[in-house]
Amino acid sequence: MQDSGFESFKIGITEISPHPKNAEIYGEDDIQELAAKIKNTGYIKPLYVNQDHVIISGHRRYKACLLLGIKQIPVVVKRFENEQEELEILLLENMYRDKTTEQKVNEAREWEIIEKEKARKRIIAAQNNNSGKAVKDNCPEQVSSGQTRDIVAKRVGLGSGKTLERAKPVVEKISKLRESGDTENAEFLSKALDKSISGAKKLVEDNIVEKVPDTYKEMFRGDNLSVSDVCTFTKGALEAKKRNEENQRQYEKQLKKEQQEREEKQRIEELQKTLPENAVVLDKFRKPAEPCIFGITDFNNLTEEQYGKCLKHAKKYEDKVYKIAMLDVDVDCLQAWSCVHESQEEINDKLDTINMAFQNLLAIQNYFKGVKKNGKPHIDEKS
């Protein structure tokens, strides 16, 4: 088909196709209301297409006609010099439509590409025309990257380049969510971006977009929570969850430790039941992984310091051991002891004290049995 300028005529709807950049910039639009309007009025504003029948303007009308099953659609065909010119017209045709912040950022990204390409061409043209002069003298309209961002940000309705830069990482996150199929969180973040660019950026920086509880999302959609509130409450909930999980781990660890101690105790008790009544199980053999008295684990290589500690410990009880050994334990003596107590309770207290002393004596006996069995170092008598 030849270039028809701005003359409108009808063409089969299957012969035209959407511009690939349109969906990338603006996403999917709701065309139900537009379709109903076309159906009621029968009027279709001509679509603007290029020489290859790719739509430059009129994507929503195209989709509405597809939905209604319309076979022929009015178009205006225009031949463009290059893809950059097509994209620029596509953006200009959508300049006054209602747009989300996400769509504005997508537009700004394309405008930056267009403006950089224009600047490149201006520089090349200046170099070709004035090879002997500085380029900047013959290209006064060139601008810095920061100025370009300010220009395109204002053009798409974002105010300043700084605002645009804050919004860019949020839009990148939205794109990744959509690519992964997580449309729910993508739409949530897109709406958060419309409400507060700084708040949405905080959600992304803190990596909590996918962790926002559904309750907070619903409250946000109902305008009962701000983006900042959602961020603060979610972080609080995550920290509480982390603390609870740590407490649970510590609790399970403690339970496991107590269970192991019970099992070890039961094992020792069962072992003791199989021994003769007068047998003594030394801690050295009961718990080989634990150190013996004073941290000594090798009785074959006692140092003088260790031997001195053991000797000092034994002498501490020497007098008491001697006195106990000299006690009379005939019937008359035992009866005499009982007579000095007025109640059975006092007698029981005395027996408890004697039992404790007996346990201490057993501990000393157990130690020296171990020394005797394993031997002790030769200690000079002078030392």
Side-chain angles (χ1 to χ4, degrees):
M1 178 178 293
Q2 299 297 320
D3 183 359
S4 302
F6 292 94
E7 182 180 352
S8 174
F9 59 94
K10 287 190 175 183
I11 189 174
I13 196 169
T14 58
E15 297 181 41
I16 60 178
S17 60
H19 196 289
K21 281 289 185 179
N22 187 79
E24 185 179 327
I25 298 171
Y26 301 107
E28 298 295 328
D29 292 312
D30 183 6
I31 46 85
Q32 296 294 331
E33 185 177 344
L34 177 59
K37 185 177 180 180
I38 292 174
K39 182 177 180 180
N40 292 333
T41 63
Y43 174 70
I44 305 171
K45 182 181 177 181
L47 281 65
Y48 198 19
V49 300
N50 67 8
Q51 61 273 18
D52 297 318
H53 300 170
V54 175
I55 302 171
I56 304 301
S57 175
H59 289 85
R60 295 180 70 249
R61 280 166 276 159
Y62 166 73
K63 291 181 180 179
C65 290
L66 281 176
L67 180 64
L68 294 172
I70 296 175
K71 305 298 183 183
Q72 298 286 317
I73 189 169
V75 297
V76 171
V77 180
K78 174 65 178 177
R79 185 177 296 276
F80 295 92
E81 293 185 4
N82 51 55
E83 293 181 359
Q84 180 183 317
E85 184 183 0
E86 287 183 1
L87 180 58
E88 187 170 353
I89 297 300
L90 186 151
L91 293 171
L92 290 172
E93 286 291 324
N94 285 280
M95 180 175 289
Y96 299 107
R97 65 176 285 178
D98 291 333
K99 287 170 280 192
T100 65
T101 305
E102 178 190 357
Q103 291 170 337
K104 291 176 182 178
V105 173
N106 289 336
E107 282 188 338
R109 181 189 63 230
E110 300 301 333
W111 276 120
E112 283 184 306
I113 295 173
I114 291 171
E115 292 300 330
K116 287 178 182 178
E117 180 61 19
K118 286 182 177 180
R120 187 186 69 84
K121 289 180 178 180
R122 287 196 297 267
I123 293 173
I124 292 174
Q127 289 175 335
N128 292 336
N129 295 332
N130 302 279
S131 57
K133 297 182 180 180
V135 173
K136 64 179 181 179
D137 294 335
N138 296 281
C139 192
E141 69 275 22
Q142 65 178 333
V143 295
S144 67
S145 297
Q147 289 174 316
T148 299
R149 282 194 295 269
D150 285 334
I151 292 170
V152 299
K154 185 175 181 181
R155 182 181 296 167
V156 300
L158 287 175
S160 69
K162 291 182 179 180
T163 302
L164 173 60
E165 289 304 308
R166 286 199 302 269
K168 278 182 177 180
V170 182
V171 174
E172 289 176 6
K173 177 66 175 179
I174 294 171
S175 298
K176 290 179 180 178
L177 289 170
R178 287 205 172 97
E179 289 172 3
S180 67
D182 191 356
T183 55
E184 180 183 350
N185 282 316
E187 292 305 318
F188 160 69
L189 186 56
S190 181
K191 287 181 171 58
L193 184 63
D194 287 337
K195 294 287 185 67
S196 171
I197 293 176
S198 297
K201 186 171 183 285
K202 186 68 173 172
L203 286 171
V204 173
E205 288 177 340
D206 292 340
N207 194 30
I208 59 175
V209 177
E210 298 96 323
K211 301 172 186 176
V212 176
D214 292 338
T215 303
Y216 296 161
K217 290 179 183 177
E218 288 298 324
M219 294 177 71
F220 168 74
R221 294 187 188 101
D223 291 328
N224 295 316
L225 282 182
S226 66
V227 182
S228 178
D229 289 337
V230 170
C231 188
T232 301
F233 293 167
T234 299
K235 289 173 67 176
L238 291 173
E239 290 172 0
K241 181 181 178 182
K242 184 178 180 180
R243 288 195 299 270
N244 290 337
E245 290 175 348
E246 178 61 27
N247 290 338
Q248 181 65 22
R249 282 193 294 270
Q250 292 297 329
Y251 174 69
E252 292 174 355
K253 183 178 179 181
Q254 182 64 26
L255 284 181
K256 184 177 180 180
K257 180 181 178 182
E258 292 176 358
Q259 177 65 21
Q260 290 174 341
E261 290 175 349
R262 286 194 297 269
E263 292 174 354
E264 177 67 9
K265 182 179 179 181
Q266 182 179 359
R267 186 184 69 81
I268 293 172
E269 290 175 351
E270 291 175 353
L271 175 63
Q272 288 176 333
K273 289 178 182 178
T274 64
L275 297 174
E277 186 175 346
N278 62 345
V280 178
V281 180
L282 299 179
D283 282 345
K284 177 177 180 352
F285 302 103
R286 181 186 297 141
K287 298 179 181 179
E290 296 180 1
C292 296
I293 190 168
F294 304 127
I296 301 171
T297 57
D298 185 2
F299 288 99
N300 292 319
N301 296 289
L302 285 172
T303 65
E304 291 191 13
E305 181 182 359
Q306 290 173 331
Y307 184 77
K309 286 183 178 180
C310 293
L311 191 62
K312 182 179 179 181
H313 182 72
K315 287 183 176 180
K316 180 179 179 181
Y317 295 98
E318 185 176 5
D319 290 342
K320 294 181 180 179
V321 171
Y322 176 77
K323 289 177 181 178
I324 293 171
M326 297 303 294
L327 287 174
D328 291 327
V329 291
D330 57 41
V331 176
D332 293 338
C333 187
L334 293 175
Q335 288 177 345
W337 290 353
S338 299
C339 289
V340 300
H341 298 291
E342 297 180 356
S343 67
Q344 184 64 39
E345 182 178 356
E346 289 179 331
I347 294 174
N348 291 337
D349 288 341
K350 179 61 68 176
L351 290 175
D352 288 340
T353 303
I354 293 173
N355 183 60
M356 184 179 299
F358 179 69
Q359 296 298 325
N360 288 336
L361 287 171
L362 278 179
I364 296 172
Q365 181 188 39
N366 291 343
Y367 166 71
F368 280 107
K369 281 185 177 179
V371 173
K372 182 178 180 181
K373 183 177 180 180
N374 293 280
K376 64 182 179 66
H378 172 73
I379 305 296
D380 190 280
E381 292 182 357
K382 295 182 179 180
S383 62

